[in-house]
Amino acid sequence: MLDIAWTPTLDTLTRNAWRLSFGGGIAPVERTPSTLIAEGPHRDLYRFDGNSISDDRPVLLVPPLAAPAQCFDLRPGQSLAAHLVDSGKATYLLDYGSMGYADRGLGFEDWIEDIIPTALEQVSRFHDEAPVDLIGWSLGGTLSLLTAAGRGDLPIGSVTAIGTPIDYRAVSMIAPLRTVGRFTGDRPLTAVTGMMGGLPAPLVQASYRFTALQRELTKPWFIARNLHDTETLARMESIDRFMADMPGYPARFFQQVCTQLILGNALVAGKFETRNGPLSLADISVPVLAIGGTEDVIAPVASVRAATEVLTGSPSARYESAPGSHLGLVAGPTARTTTWAHIDAFLDDAVARIA
């Protein structure tokens, strides 16, 4: 006999179908409350409301470029920021905003020598010069690591790099680019973007959707199969909004990604060249946690795990894996008990080391 308690009602099915088609969506956008405490070009600094005074070891969330800062705060239940606040952490977020043609000359240097250090020092001052724990996702992890490598004088307590590739040879989806690049260099990738001033937002959005091609192709069936499940549809909707909000890359930054990371595989050698000289990942002297996703095609586990081999100056270079895609690592249905739990344990250990 059919269990009525588990039977989706016609009302739920009809309501979800209407909201997806004509009603403005399954769930409204709902962010964790925050306050803008400092602003500037590509460097707006927010503090999430809550336990912002009680904790003397603050956290700064560092997003990648070409992704909205809301990657850490998609919606209730999909918010690493809310989780950190609820656990008693004073939590801050950098927001770079959009990128336009006028930003074409911005490169890694602008973030690792200026934008991130400035925000980090501001956060530290709010907490009596306390060390700040950096948490970066994707290229936000790369920026955090390079900041720690180049500025040993900064009050950095630790670095967590989520879904941050180190060995780009392990990223199978870019293998064709690396093969062609042996003969052509970066020109096929960067010639057009140089003229446009960068990689425009629509191309970034299309590229990200391509990495989840199966999801995009099977989406109609996924919706039909889950039309009764409002929470699952709300999660899907939050990811769609995230992808639709992706900004572009500045031309110089994108060229550095192509030449040094994708083609040069510089990070696996522990080096990165800037206009002001080389940086060495071996110079990082704080604890580091690298987290890789078992279903991540952008940063496969082998690529992320390589961090433990190059961070030779770190007192603790730890690797953990978690189920999930690239975004799923941060905001997936199991993130709370996997990725977030790894971060909690790591931050507790990092504090204990100096206690």
Side-chain angles (χ1 to χ4, degrees):
M1 183 176 180
L2 185 63
D3 187 349
I4 300 299
W6 289 95
T7 303
T9 66
L10 181 61
D11 179 63
T12 300
L13 295 171
T14 303
R15 183 175 62 250
N16 287 343
W18 172 263
R19 288 177 175 175
L20 280 174
S21 303
F22 310 106
I26 292 293
V29 176
E30 187 177 350
R31 310 288 187 204
T32 304
S34 63
T35 301
L36 177 65
I37 58 175
E39 60 184 322
H42 308 306
R43 63 184 71 214
D44 288 349
L45 180 62
Y46 291 85
R47 179 174 60 211
F48 289 97
D49 301 343
N51 300 307
S52 58
I53 298 175
S54 62
D55 186 53
D56 60 357
R57 182 75 177 247
V59 172
L60 176 61
L61 300 175
V62 182
L65 273 74
Q70 288 77 21
C71 57
F72 295 112
D73 187 38
L74 292 185
R75 60 183 290 272
Q78 290 179 276
S79 173
L80 173 58
H83 170 77
L84 291 169
V85 171
D86 290 343
S87 67
K89 291 291 183 184
T91 306
Y92 297 79
L93 171 69
L94 256 179
D95 189 342
Y96 314 135
S98 60
M99 301 290 167
Y101 185 78
D103 302 309
R104 60 192 180 279
L106 297 179
F108 273 77
E109 300 86 353
D110 295 282
W111 272 264
I112 63 182
E113 297 174 6
D114 179 16
I115 294 173
I116 295 175
T118 299
L120 197 152
E121 290 175 328
Q122 289 173 318
V123 170
S124 180
R125 285 196 297 271
F126 293 144
H127 296 268
D128 296 324
E129 310 300 331
V132 179
D133 294 307
L134 297 179
I135 299 179
W137 171 61
S138 192
L139 280 174
T142 308
L143 293 171
S144 298
L145 290 170
L146 292 175
T147 300
R151 290 288 306 274
D153 60 311
L154 290 171
I156 299 175
S158 69
V159 177
T160 297
I162 309 169
T164 298
I166 298 296
D167 186 355
Y168 279 72
R169 292 171 302 185
V171 185
S172 59
M173 65 177 296
I174 64 169
L177 296 178
R178 287 175 51 81
T179 300
V180 172
R182 293 195 195 107
F183 305 98
T184 64
D186 66 290
R187 296 303 296 168
L189 293 173
T190 61
V192 176
T193 56
M195 290 186 292
M196 293 189 297
L199 190 65
L203 290 181
V204 173
Q205 295 161 12
S207 299
Y208 194 88
R209 289 182 184 280
F210 180 77
T211 67
L213 188 58
Q214 183 177 2
R215 174 188 184 273
E216 295 299 307
L217 293 176
T218 60
K219 188 175 175 180
W221 168 242
F222 178 87
I223 292 174
R225 186 159 45 90
N226 291 283
L227 199 56
H228 66 287
D229 190 337
T230 303
E231 174 61 21
T232 295
L233 293 178
R235 286 182 176 275
M236 176 203 72
E237 183 179 65
S238 70
I239 295 171
D240 288 342
R241 286 172 176 162
F242 167 81
M243 291 191 289
D245 288 341
M246 284 182 162
Y249 282 111
R252 176 173 171 76
F253 190 96
F254 182 68
Q255 182 182 34
Q256 290 173 301
V257 168
C258 293
T259 57
Q260 294 204 56
L261 303 186
I262 295 177
L263 300 182
N265 204 24
L267 295 183
V268 79
K271 302 290 183 181
F272 189 89
E273 294 289 337
T274 74
R275 63 167 68 97
N276 297 318
L279 299 178
S280 173
L281 294 182
D283 289 337
I284 296 176
S285 58
V286 299
V288 176
L289 170 64
I291 305 176
T294 56
E295 301 157 45
D296 191 344
V297 298
I298 295 177
V301 292
S303 176
V304 177
R305 189 170 50 230
T308 61
E309 300 171 8
V310 300
L311 300 173
T312 55
S314 169
S316 173
R318 183 187 308 180
Y319 169 79
E320 300 285 356
S321 65
S325 61
H326 198 54
L327 181 59
L329 269 178
V330 181
T334 64
R336 179 181 299 277
T337 57
T338 56
T339 301
W340 301 356
H342 291 319
I343 295 172
D344 291 342
F346 173 71
L347 293 182
D348 287 344
D349 288 348
V351 171
R353 283 176 177 270
I354 63 171

